[in-house]
Every structure is written in C-alpha cells, then in structure tokens.
C-alpha cells in the first residue's frame, strides 16, 4: 500500500510581505529560514523549517487572510511563546484544552489564523 507523509504546509502572504513574515516566523516564533531552490526564488515568499517538515509562505497577488483554516504548531512551553507573542503585539485568544493540552489562537502579521498547542503540560 502507498504511504503518504506530510512534506510541507503552505500559507499565503501578500506581495511584499516577506520582511514582516521573517520577523514573525523567524524572530518571534524562532523558526529557522530555509533557502528556497534557485528556480523558485523569483516567486517571492520564504520557507521555514518546522521539525521534519517545512512551512512555506507563498505570495498570493489576490491575498485574503485565512480566518478559519489554520495551521497548528506544537510547543513544549506555551507560556514562553504566549509571552513572546504578547510582547510583540500579537493577539492571544485562548480556547478550551484539547486532549488535556492548553492552546490558543493568534494571527500572523497578515491576519492568517494560527493555533499554538502546548505538548509539555496538561491543562
């Protein structure tokens, strides 16, 4: 039987949003930026390591923020991430725990919804 695994997730960003994306995903969330293949550099956007997978930010000329659809990022210390996001001015919307783990939602600089889940402690 054929097996499928997740290679990467891509979310859209507006044209010219790379600097804000790097500040949010690189500086605030501390993801490591990956070099894009030479043949894709001209398309804009940027890529980040996300564990064994990747997060791709692709430029969409008709950008509309994802308000319901989202990616969920797991961390072993949600409190540190929450403090970092709050200090940087990003919204924190707490939600009920899932599987006994705390979580909240925030938005990237473009209004895309992100879920952050604590894998280190139970609620």
């Amino acid at each position: 039987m054929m097996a499928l695994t997740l290679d990467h997730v891509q979310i859209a960003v507006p044209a010219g949003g790379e600097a804000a994306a790097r500040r949010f995903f690189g500086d605030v969330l501390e993801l490591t930026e990956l070099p894009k293949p030479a043949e894709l550099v001209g398309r804009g956007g940027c890529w980040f390591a996300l564990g064994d997978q990747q997060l791709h930010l692709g430029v969409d000329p008709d950008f509309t923020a994802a308000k319901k659809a989202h990616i969920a990022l797991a961390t072993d210390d949600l409190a540190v991430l929450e403090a970092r996001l709050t200090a940087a001015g990003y919204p924190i919307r707490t939600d009920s725990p899932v599987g006994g783990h705390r979580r909240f939602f925030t938005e990237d600089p473009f209004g895309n919804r992100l879920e952050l889940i604590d894998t280190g402690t139970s609620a």
Side-chain angles (χ1 to χ4, degrees), residues 1-3 6 14-15 24 27-28 38 49 67 72-74 78 80 83-84 91 97 99 106-108 112 118 123:
M1 175 179 224
M2 176 180 60
L6 182 65
F24 180 78
D27 297 341
V28 177
K67 297 294 185 183
L73 304 175
L78 192 65
V80 168
R84 200 177 305 144
T106 192
E107 297 172 358
D108 71 10
N112 291 313
D118 195 339

Side-chain angles (χ1 to χ4, degrees), residues 11-12 63-70 107-108 110-114:
I11 60 174
F63 174 77
T64 301
K67 297 294 185 183
K68 179 65 176 175
H70 64 277
E107 297 172 358
D108 71 10
F110 318 107
N112 291 313
R113 184 180 191 210
L114 301 171

Side-chain angles (χ1 to χ4, degrees), residues 2-91:
M2 176 180 60
L4 296 176
T5 61
L6 182 65
D7 179 74
H8 71 273
V9 172
Q10 178 167 293
I11 60 174
V13 299
E18 290 87 353
R22 286 181 175 102
R23 281 190 301 275
F24 180 78
F25 291 98
D27 297 341
V28 177
L29 297 185
E30 296 185 345
L31 299 180
T32 301
E33 186 169 357
L34 300 170
K36 289 182 68 173
E39 62 271 22
L40 298 179
V41 170
R43 295 182 184 181
C46 43
W47 294 4
F48 294 90
L50 196 56
D52 292 335
Q53 290 77 34
Q54 298 178 7
L55 174 61
H56 295 183
L57 307 179
V59 172
D60 184 346
D62 298 318
F63 174 77
T64 301
K67 297 294 185 183
K68 179 65 176 175
H70 64 277
I71 59 172
L73 304 175
T75 178
D76 62 359
D77 197 340
L78 192 65
V80 168
L81 194 51
E82 182 176 3
R84 200 177 305 144
L85 286 160
T86 299
Y90 292 98

